[in-house]
Amino acid sequence: MEHQFIISFCDRDTLPELIREMAEELEVTPEQLIKRFIADGMRHRFGKEGEPAIPGETLEDFLVKNGALKPKK
């Protein structure tokens, strides 16, 4: 199951245009850029700023151990 968040801006907001411009410069979609912003903004919550990553046996194991994915049920 995917989760969605809907973000709305008023017609006069410049942020949507700035996001599109920055995404184009980085050659990513606006959605990918927004995910990067959110992930960066949440980094402090895990208390891992500057700490080395925890090694994993596989890529999925690595992502679970480092808080990017939930373990499979």
Side-chain angles (χ1 to χ4, degrees):
M1 170 176 36
E2 286 192 25
H3 298 275
Q4 291 185 348
F5 295 93
I6 298 171
I7 302 170
S8 301
F9 297 92
C10 75
D11 291 339
R12 295 187 60 210
D13 281 333
T14 59
L15 197 53
E17 184 178 314
L18 295 172
I19 290 171
R20 280 190 213 94
E21 288 174 6
M22 182 180 251
E24 189 175 305
E25 290 169 12
L26 296 171
E27 297 180 352
V28 298
T29 65
E31 292 81 5
Q32 290 169 319
L33 182 61
I34 291 166
K35 280 185 175 183
R36 288 182 186 183
F37 288 151
I38 293 169
D40 191 47
M42 295 292 289
R43 187 178 323 184
H44 75 282
R45 182 146 172 96
F46 299 106
K48 296 182 179 180
E49 186 72 34
E51 292 180 22
I54 301 167
E57 297 295 321
T58 64
L59 177 58
E60 183 171 332
D61 184 49
F62 171 80
L63 294 172
V64 169
K65 285 182 177 178
N66 288 282
L69 290 178
K70 294 179 186 176
K72 285 186 176 178
K73 292 182 181 183

